[in-house]
Every structure is written in structure tokens, then in C-alpha cells.
């Protein structure tokens, strides 16, 4: 079942005639307090939707930047419960911005599907992306999420053919996350020429908005993708700012939020030239 907040946000984006900007950050990176400050600042900086990663020791789909972010989050003590506490603290001050948890199945399995879904809903979470949960094995998790009106948001990739897209689309809600490049996060850059036809195929198969990520590093690239997708996701480039702040002995929120503003502004302005 698609949550109301996600549907409402994409409806608003369609009404504005633009793509959305999805900002990914890691819970507890570089500390709980700074992570909360970042979270609270994301909407004003330009994030239309937030993806909050929950730290895991073996994030197989991630490149080095998010791997290191996960380790910083674990060092800060952010378990799944701690991540949900962080989500709840964010939601206490923001009733509108969709908040998606992104991570891996093992911690959810350990938590228990029903308990996780119940606690995530209570914390104000709208949906979940579970990178390593194949559709063929997802029914128990999806049942638990549906019971709490949470979306299970699935990934489609450049290797997903039409038959596979039909499988991916079943019981997916909210939006589909299109992985624009083969490989892990933060290594290659997305190319709009190849992304555009893929986005159309995923839209036809799912009937849902399509957010594109895994290869957006610059405002210029974000604008290119925003012209063909329903939303643009950036993650590695944001956690890189955290790492740079830690190395320089600086506070991370200002650096991260400045990068979010640059990317968000690029996404917002991407289609303006097409209408004037």
C-alpha cells in the first residue's frame, strides 16, 4: 500500500512540473546529534524526499563512501532502533516530508518483520528500501509493511528486462528506485541518454514514479537526470561531505546542507528552460 505522504509529494511535484530531489544520508554519521541536525535541515535546503540509511556492517551494494559512512554510523551506536529514534525525532518537527529507510535485510530480520514495521510506522517512516531482498522472498516483509501502510520500494537496474520488471513491480508502492549504473554506489556517473528510455520502461511496467540514483555527483548531472526522471537521488556525494568535514575537524551539517542546496537548486531549475 502506498503511503499518503509519498503520493502527496509526487502529486505536488507533478503539479509544479518538475522532478523531485531525494537526499540520502546515513543515520549517526558522523554522530547522532549531527545526523539529526542534517536531517532537520534537509527539507529547507532542497530535499523533497529523504532516504535515511540504517548502518550495516556489510552493505554490499555500496561503494567506499557509503561503506565508510555505515562504519561511522555503527561507531556512533546507531542500530536499527537508534535509526528509528532518529526518524522519530525528525518527524516531531516535520509532518510533510516523506522519509524512507534504506538498508539491508539482515538487521530487519533480526528485529522481526512485524515489530520493525510497527515501530517504523510509529516513528513516522513512510517506506523502506531493502537492497538485498529479492521480490520472490519479500512477501512476509511486504505483508508486515502493508499492515502498517508502509511502502516497499524496490530497485530496478539496467539489467532488468521487461519480464523482470513485471516481477519487480508486484507489490511495489510509492515509487521505483532505478539504479542508473551497473555496480556499486558512488563509482560511475549516470548518463541521461541511457537513463531516459529505462525510466520510461520502468514507468510503464509499474505505473509508479521513478527515482534515479547511484550515479549523480554534480548539479549538472542532477539537472540532466531531472529532465527525464520523476526524482533524482544523491547519496555518496553527500556522505563525502561528511567525511571531508570529519577529516578537516569541521562540523558536518553546514557542508552537507550546502551541497544539498546546490543539487536541489539544479533539480528544481532543470525543466525551466524547456518551458520558456
Amino acid at each position: 500500500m502506498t503511503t499518503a505522504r509519498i503520493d502527496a509529494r509526487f502529486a505536488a511535484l507533478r503539479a509544479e512540473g518538475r522532478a523531485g530531489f531525494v537526499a540520502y544520508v546515513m543515520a549517526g554519521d558522523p554522530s547522532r546529534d549531527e545526523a539529526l541536525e542534517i536531517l532537520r535541515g534537509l527539507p529547507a535546503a532542497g530535499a523533497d524526499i529523504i532516504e535515511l540509511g540504517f548502518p550495516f556492517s556489510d552493505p554490499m551494494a555500496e561503494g567506499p563512501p557509503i561503506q565508510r559512512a555505515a562504519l561511522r554510523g555503527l561507531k556512533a551506536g546507531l542500530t536499527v532502533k537508534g535509526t528509528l529514534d532518529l526518524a522519530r525525532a525528525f518527524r516531531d518537527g516535520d509532518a510533510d516530508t516523506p522519509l524512507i529507510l534504506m538498508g539491508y535485510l539482515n538487521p530487519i530480520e533480526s528485529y522481526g518483520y512485524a515489530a520493525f514495521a510497527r515501530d517504523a510506522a510509529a516513528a513516522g517512516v513512510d517506506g523502506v528500501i531493502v537492497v538485498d531482498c529479492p521480490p520472490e522472498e519479500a512477501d512476509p516483509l511486504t505483508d508486515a509493511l502493508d499492515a502498517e501502510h508502509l511502502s516497499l520500494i524496490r530497485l530496478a537496474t539496467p539489467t532488468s528486462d521487461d519480464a523482470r520488471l513485471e516481477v519487480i513491480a508486484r507489490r511495489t508502492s510509492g515509487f521505483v528506485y532505478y539504479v542508473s549504473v551497473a555496480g556499486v554506489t558512488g563509482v560511475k556517473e549516470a548518463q541521461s541518454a541511457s537513463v531516459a528510455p529505462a525510466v520510461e520502461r520502468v514507468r510503464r511496467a509499474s505505473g509508479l514514479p521513478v527515482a534515479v540514483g547511484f550515479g549523480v555527483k554534480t548539479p549538472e548531472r542532477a539537472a540532466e537526470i531531472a529532465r527525464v526522471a520523476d526524482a533524482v537521488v544523491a547519496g555518496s556525494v553527500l556522505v563525502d561531505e561528511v567525511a571531508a568535514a570529519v577529516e578537516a575537524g569541521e562540523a558536518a551539517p553546514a557542508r552537507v546542507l550546502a551541497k544539498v542546496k546546490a543539487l536541489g537548486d539544479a533539480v528544481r531549475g532543470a525543466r525551466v528552460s524547456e518551458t520558456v
Side-chain angles (χ1 to χ4, degrees), residues 9-83:
R9 183 51 49 97
F10 277 107
L13 292 169
R14 285 191 296 273
E16 292 177 36
R18 68 174 181 89
F21 177 56
V22 184
Y24 170 97
V25 293
M26 180 67 71
D29 184 25
S31 67
R32 184 199 182 277
D33 289 347
E34 285 188 278
L36 180 57
E37 185 178 346
I38 291 168
L39 269 180
R40 286 175 169 165
L42 287 174
D48 298 294
I49 297 172
I50 297 170
E51 287 180 9
L52 178 62
F54 50 90
F56 181 51
S57 58
D58 189 22
M60 64 182 71
E62 318 299 350
I66 294 181
Q67 289 179 21
R68 289 191 287 264
L71 292 176
R72 290 192 297 268
L74 288 171
K75 186 176 180 181
L78 267 289
T79 59
V80 173
K81 183 179 184 302
T83 300

Side-chain angles (χ1 to χ4, degrees), residues 146-162:
D146 280 355
E148 300 292 344
H149 307 292
L150 295 171
S151 293
L152 180 62
I153 298 156
R154 290 205 175 99
L155 304 174
T157 74
T159 59
S160 302
D161 61 19
D162 289 344

Side-chain angles (χ1 to χ4, degrees), residues 59-67 102 104 131 155-160 177-190 213-217 236:
M60 64 182 71
E62 318 299 350
I66 294 181
Q67 289 179 21
M102 186 170 186
Y104 293 82
V131 177
L155 304 174
T157 74
T159 59
S160 302
Y177 188 130
Y178 180 69
V179 176
S180 62
V181 296
V184 296
T185 57
V187 176
K188 303 175 184 176
E189 281 203 274
F214 269 55
V216 179
K217 298 181 179 181
S236 294

